[in-house]
């Protein structure tokens, strides 16, 4: 019998994953759009809303994880594999916080408010600073790409466990 993550942990995992995919796709879309338009502004706002939503869900997810021990990894996994899994999860959590916070910081540096769902205006994280905004945007993009690539590696490892090693690693999160 497979010992699964708790239902809230599984739901939060998949909601965050979908949010990251959608926010990343919107970010790529808005970056590829030329000039300024109302459509681009709308998509940027959706991107921000998703980022803040992901940030909130990740905070809840981390609190849940700290209070609910995850299932043990399979005994047949090598110690180095368990270490890689542990550090990958740590880095994923760091990036799941850093990327949306970086986007919020970038908006603040540009002087653009972050208004979650068009209703809740969040405080600026810094004063307007055009010189620093470009660096923050670059770091936000690097973080987003790193997060997505690490998430793809995470998913590939889960699929390897499922189809090649035929263990319960993937089933624990389904």
């Amino acid at each position: 019998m497979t010992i699964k993550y708790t239902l809230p942990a599984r739901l939060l995992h998949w909601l965050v994953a979908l949010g990251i995919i959608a926010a990343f796709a919107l970010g790529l879309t808005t970056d590829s759009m030329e000039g300024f338009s109302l459509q681009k502004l709308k998509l940027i706002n959706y991107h921000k809303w998703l980022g803040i939503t992901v940030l909130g869900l990740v905070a809840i997810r981390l609190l849940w994880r700290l209070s609910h021990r995850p299932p043990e990894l399979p005994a047949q996994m090598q110690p180095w594999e368990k270490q890689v899994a542990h550090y990958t999860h740590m880095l994923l959590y760091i990036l799941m916080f850093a990327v949306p916070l970086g986007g919020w910081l970038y908006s603040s540096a540009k002087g653009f408010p972050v208004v979650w769902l068009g209703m809740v205006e969040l405080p600026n994280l810094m004063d307007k600073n055009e010189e620093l905004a470009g660096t923050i945007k670059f770091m936000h993009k690097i973080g987003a790409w790193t997060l997505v690539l690490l998430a793809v590696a995470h998913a590939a490892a889960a699929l390897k466990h499922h189809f090649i090693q035929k263990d319960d690693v993937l089933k624990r999160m389904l």
Side-chain angles (χ1 to χ4, degrees):
M1 182 175 124
T2 301
I3 298 174
K4 294 184 174 202
Y5 280 85
T6 62
L7 180 60
R10 293 191 318 260
L11 289 173
L12 288 165
H13 175 274
W14 293 110
L15 284 172
V16 167
L18 290 173
I20 289 169
I21 292 166
F24 187 75
L26 278 171
L28 289 177
T29 301
T30 58
D31 266 0
S32 69
M33 295 173 80
E34 297 285 328
F36 177 80
S37 68
L38 290 178
Q39 179 67 15
K40 184 174 182 176
L41 182 60
K42 183 175 17 170
L43 294 178
I44 289 169
N45 281 320
Y46 293 163
H47 174 77
K48 290 181 186 184
W49 298 351
L50 277 167
I52 295 301
T53 302
V54 165
L55 182 62
L57 290 171
V58 170
I60 293 167
R61 182 176 174 192
L62 180 60
L63 291 172
W64 187 265
R65 172 124 185 206
L66 292 173
S67 63
H68 296 80
R69 187 174 174 90
E72 293 293 325
L73 291 169
Q76 67 268 27
M77 280 181 71
Q78 297 296 317
W80 69 266
E81 290 176 300
K82 292 179 180 183
Q83 284 292 97
V84 168
H86 172 73
Y87 287 117
T88 299
H89 282 107
M90 282 180 48
L91 188 53
L92 282 167
Y93 271 100
I94 289 167
L95 289 167
M96 287 186 294
F97 280 103
V99 171
L101 284 171
W104 185 357
L105 197 60
Y106 169 66
S107 284
S108 297
K110 287 293 285 182
F112 299 132
V114 176
V115 184
W116 185 60
L117 301 178
M119 297 181 289
V120 180
E121 185 167 348
L122 302 179
N124 287 327
L125 298 180
M126 65 181 294
D127 291 333
K128 184 175 179 177
N129 185 334
E130 287 286 338
E131 293 169 10
L132 191 54
T135 301
I136 295 169
K137 182 177 184 179
F138 176 76
M139 297 304 294
H140 177 63
K141 284 183 178 186
I142 293 297
W145 275 103
T146 304
L147 174 58
V148 167
L149 292 174
L150 194 59
V152 167
H154 172 70
L159 292 171
K160 175 184 106 40
H161 278 278
H162 186 74
F163 291 110
I164 296 172
Q165 293 178 275
K166 301 195 185 304
D167 60 28
D168 291 343
V169 167
L170 179 62
K171 290 178 185 174
R172 299 171 331 144
M173 194 50 82
L174 296 177

